Amino acid sequence: DLKELLEKLEKNERKLKKQLKIYMKKVQDYEANQVTIQTEKQQHELTRQVAVQRKEKEFQGMLEYYKEDEPLLIRNLITELKPQAVSATVPCLPAYILYMCIRHADYINDDHKVHSLLTSTINGVKKVLKKHSDDFEMTSFWLSNACRLLHCLKQYSGDAGFMTENTAKQNEHCLKNFDLTEYRQVLSDLSIQIYQQLIKIAGGVLQPMIVTAVLENESIQGLSGVKPMGYRKRSSSRGEVDNAYSLEELIQQLSTFHGVVCDHGLDPEIIQQTFKQLFYMINAVALNNLLLRKDVCSWSTGLQLRFNISQLEDWLRGKNLHQSKAVETLEPLIQAAQLLQLKKKTSEDAEAICSLCTALTTQQIVKILTLYTPVNEFEERVTGSFTKTVQAQLQERNDPPTLLLDFKYTFPVLFPFYPSSLTMDSIHIPASLNLEFLNKV
């Protein structure tokens, strides 16, 4: 029995020794493998550093980042970026950087990375706009960048229709694997939202200035003492209200807005649409006020109003915005000013009024004639029979019964394709953006 037990134990011992040798061999192999991996990793790091430096010389206009760095990219480039940080660089730099990141994700054929980056970008811009909902500068900055990113996705889409102005170098920077048409539509919708926010902010600033600056501003010397009969003791709103604005202040504010959108590199066509919209509001607010106040329906106001409008027209020409059709939006106000200055006595006068005031509705013309108040005893009041004569001549127009204009009306906005002449490999990323985790490829 003891002999059998001894044999059994010896057999077990041999078995355990064999297993121990196997496990020792595995441990040794594992340790050797770890050393090899570590060595390879160090060699890879060394090679990678050398590779980055080598590729600096032949930058292909792509930026590589690790997926886990995406939130940092969005934070440093969008949500926490101040426009001043990139004021000395090429306009719309964030849009170009984002496109170069998208292009690398397309180059390595990583659809998840492309989707994630575009989605995060759009959400990041929305977050900024919500936080700065009354900041003209920030809104203008992101309108410029959203439009530029949209243009980049078109210009480098590979679609022949968008490549007509590309250089051979730019054609090398086109996307290779993905069709981002759906994202272009999302970006277009986002750009429209940003544009509407920009108009709302600018309108909110300008609206309180318009009546005193355009309708009551007395920039022609000698007219300030002339008041309509029956209103001589009434002080103007400039004296009564602390927040009265001069025409110079209104024009200065327009110049400030214009300077901001130009600095941010907003497309010239969108700048023109912006100021056409703002001038429409100036016209509507001023005309509506004129149609509701007897004290400003006089010959002197007509003269003063026409002079003030000419100042606005000069400003448009000076800023090269005369092709924006902004002047055309002022036509009803221009005709109202002329109506106040025209003679209003004979049937010939009535015909002249009807042929001249084509941008005013019948109701608006009749209202101004009804409110018209002579500035002194040498002028005659408009008779009821004259007003009826004008009204009868205007009947054939079949005008809509519109008196007041909708000053909140917005024209449809268009974002025409505006390609850039820049090549991606020429864009420099300043260290101040803290994007050192992006690798140039």
Side-chain angles (χ1 to χ4, degrees), residues 176-194:
K176 306 293 183 192
N177 294 303
F178 302 121
D179 178 5
L180 301 179
T181 308
E182 289 183 19
Y183 282 103
R184 296 208 307 253
Q185 186 56 54
V186 174
L187 266 173
S188 179
D189 293 343
L190 177 64
S191 299
I192 291 170
Q193 289 173 26
I194 306 173

Side-chain angles (χ1 to χ4, degrees), residues 338-346 349-350 352-353 386:
Q338 290 170 331
L339 175 56
L340 292 172
Q341 295 173 79
L342 288 169
K343 289 182 180 178
K344 306 168 189 67
K345 196 170 182 181
T346 66
D349 298 339
I353 288 171
F386 180 81

Side-chain angles (χ1 to χ4, degrees), residues 320-336:
N320 206 24
L321 291 169
H322 50 282
Q323 294 178 330
S324 64
K325 297 188 176 177
V327 174
E328 285 88 329
T329 67
L330 294 174
E331 196 57 37
L333 197 59
I334 292 169
Q335 292 185 10

Side-chain angles (χ1 to χ4, degrees), residues 44-45 48 64-70 113 437 439:
H44 175 70
E45 287 293 319
R48 187 165 165 270
E64 178 189 18
Y65 65 94
Y66 291 111
K67 183 71 181 72
E68 54 269 25
D69 286 333
E70 185 187 281
K113 200 172 184 181
F437 56 87
N439 299 314

